[in-house]
Amino acid sequence: MQDIRTNQQRLWDSLMEMGEIGGTEKGGCCRLALTDLDKQGRDLFVRWCEEAGCTITVDRMGNIFARRAGQDDSLPPVVMGSHLDTQPTGGKFDGVYGVLAGLEVIRTLNDHGIETRAPIEASVWTNEEGSRFPPAMVSSGVFAGAFDLEYGLSRADLDGKTMGEELARIGYAGSAEVGGRPFKAFFEAHIEQGPILEAEGKRIGVVTDAQGQRWYEITLTGQESHAGPTPMPTRRDALVGAARIVDLVNRIGMEHQPNACATVGLMQVFPNSRNVIPGQVFFTVDFRHPDAEVLARMDQALQEGARRIVEDQRLEMDFEQIWYSPPVPFDRDCVASVRQATESLGLSHREMVSGAGHDACYISRVAPTSMIFVPCEDGISHNEAERAAPADLAAGCDVLFKAVLERAND
Ligand code: HGY
Ligand code: MN
Ligand code: MN
C-alpha cells in the first residue's frame, strides 16, 4: 500500500478535458454555476464516476455525491470534494482540482483492487464561488445548516433567476435531503490561490484554518442630471460617493495589515451614460481577516466611514452585510492525517491559513475536516492565467489518497 501513487497523467488529462467545458481564449475557464456549461461539466463528472463503479446521489441543492461502497456500508463515508463552478475569468484548477483529485483517488483504489472498510465519496458542491449567485459556498452552507433550504434555493443572479429555477432547468434539482447525514471525515484538495508555497519552494500546504469573510452590498442614490448645465457644488453624484467608499475600503484594508483583505469587485452605475451624472450606484465589498475581532473592527470602520461620505455628498445609502463566514479552525486530527501523509511521502510542506473560502469551511461544522493545498504559478487564481504543475497536483492527490485511505480504514 505504501508505494501506491495516483496517476499523474490521468489526473492531468481529466483536468484538461473538464477545462475544455467553458474553456476561454486565454486558456482559462468560464463555467458559471448552474449554466448549461456547468451542466455539461457535471454530466462529465457523473459519467466518469459511474464508469469507476460509483453510485450517484444528487441532493436538493444540486450537490453531487459519487459513492464507492465500503466493506461495511453502514459506516459514515469519508468524503473528498470541492466545486466545478468557476469565476467568469476563472482558471482550470480552482475547485475542479479537488473534485477530480477525489475521482483520481477512487480510480487508483480501483486500479489496485483495494477495498476500504468505510465507504468513500467524491463530491461536487453547487455554486461555491458565489459569483453568479451570492453568497459563496451557499450549498455546503445549507448542508451544514448555516442556511435553510429555502434561503439557498431562493438565491438569485443579477437577472433575477433563482438557484432553484436553474437547478431544475439543468436537471440537477436532486431529491436527496441536503445534509443531516454524517461524514466520517471531509478532505478538500485545492490550489493555494496565493504565492506562499511557490515562494518558499514547498510542495504541500497543510491547511490549519481559513480566514473569516464579510460580504456587503451597497446602493448609493443621488440625482441624475445633465453633465453640462448642472453646477458642480449642487450635484448629488452617486459615483463620486462610491469612489470615495472604494478608497475607504482600500484604506481600511491597508490599516489592518498584515492580514486584512479588502476588495470592491462588482459595481453597476446607473444610468451609465457618459453625459449623465450617475443617479445610482450598486457595488459590493469583500472583507477578510483570520481574526474575527479585527474583521469586526473593519466592519465598524466601513459603516462609520461610509455614513460620513454619504452625508458629505448628500446621498441616500442602502447598506447591507449579506454574508458573514467566521474564521474556521480545521479539525486537528484531520490536519494531522494530512501532515502525516505528507511526511510519509517525503514532501516539503508548511502549515498555512487559507485566504480563500472553501466548502470545507462549512462542512467543518458537521464533520471532521481539513484541506490540502498545492502551489499555483505566481500565486495567481480567479484569473485565466491560473496554472498548476502536473507533479504538484499529483503530489497533493497522493496526500489525499493516503489521508482518505487511513481514515476509511481506521
Ligand atoms: O471567494 C472565495 O474565497 C472563494 O473563491 N469562493
Ligand atoms: Mn475554490
Ligand atoms: Mn474560487
Side-chain angles (χ1 to χ4, degrees), residues 83 87 94 128-129 190 193 382:
H83 59 96
Q87 288 287 337
D94 174 2
E128 186 280 341
E129 290 293 0
H190 208 287
Q193 300 182 291
H382 285 194

Side-chain angles (χ1 to χ4, degrees), residues 300-342:
Q300 206 49 39
L302 175 64
Q303 294 199 42
E304 287 163 10
R307 244 197 308 280
R308 277 197 299 276
I309 289 166
V310 162
E311 272 159 33
D312 175 57
Q313 294 296 314
R314 291 172 294 111
L315 302 171
E316 280 93 56
M317 173 168 71
D318 181 46
F319 180 104
E320 187 186 0
Q321 177 182 284
I322 66 159
W323 182 45
Y324 172 53
S325 173
V328 174
F330 288 124
D331 175 83
R332 288 327 185 213
D333 288 341
C334 282
V335 172
S337 295
V338 169
R339 188 183 304 108
Q340 280 144 25
T342 303

